[in-house]
Amino acid sequence: MTARIRRAAYAVASPTVLTLRHFRAIGYRASVVERNVRYGNDRVLKQDHYGFDVEALKPGEPPTLIQCTTAGNAKARMAKLTRVPTPAAKGGNAPAGLENTLWLLRCGWRLYVQGWTKQGRCREWAARLVSGKVEWHETGGGQ
């Protein structure tokens, strides 16, 4: 999936805004699920939805979560979503990394990491799904 966005319309937009506009343009209802939570006098904590920034829904399609970033940061975001939690990380409120990702995939969610970069002579924003869809394949086991 590749999208080109006209430079004049989106010259200063963040990757999250670009992703929202892209998914809305192809028929999804998309919204930001990442929030800034203030605590104390001047502290802000970013709280996202299982590691993702945008949720997109479309009739007939599985629910979709997208991690929005720049193309240069996309591999780091993928690593964050697929890292194995350490015992210290498991003590927190929510499972981290791979545990979350596998849980969402088992529940039928479609997961994307969408990296944005400026391309071409006119320096238009272009989206690139860095790893395509993150997929889960059940292996062996049985009952």
Side-chain angles (χ1 to χ4, degrees):
M1 179 188 307
T2 301
R4 291 199 178 272
I5 305 295
R6 292 173 53 129
R7 182 174 178 242
Y10 305 104
V12 294
S14 70
T16 302
V17 170
L18 293 168
T19 296
L20 284 170
R21 290 177 179 166
H22 167 70
F23 274 88
R24 287 174 180 162
I26 59 173
Y28 283 82
R29 290 225 174 152
S31 63
V32 177
V33 290
E34 178 184 54
R35 303 281 184 251
N36 290 326
V37 180
R38 295 191 180 278
Y39 66 99
N41 291 335
D42 58 350
R43 295 180 182 232
V44 176
L45 174 69
K46 281 201 180 251
Q47 182 179 18
D48 52 23
H49 191 62
Y50 299 108
F52 293 88
D53 303 323
V54 171
E55 178 182 62
L57 302 171
K58 183 177 184 179
E61 297 286 335
T64 304
L65 287 172
I66 306 107
Q67 170 67 54
C68 315
T69 187
T70 58
N73 255 349
K75 286 185 181 179
R77 295 288 187 242
M78 181 57 73
K80 176 182 161 186
L81 294 172
T82 57
R83 74 170 175 246
V84 177
T86 61
K90 284 189 173 185
N93 300 0
L98 185 61
E99 193 173 332
N100 269 346
T101 301
L102 292 177
W103 183 81
L104 289 165
L105 291 168
R106 287 178 184 149
C107 290
W109 287 78
R110 184 181 294 168
L111 308 176
Y112 289 115
V113 174
Q114 189 170 37
W116 288 91
T117 186
K118 288 187 176 182
Q119 292 181 345
R121 205 174 51 149
C122 296
R123 305 297 289 159
E124 293 177 337
W125 283 106
R128 181 168 68 94
L129 290 178
V130 174
S131 65
K133 187 170 83 168
V134 180
E135 295 181 303
W136 166 255
H137 297 285
E138 200 71 51
T139 58
Q143 303 236 350

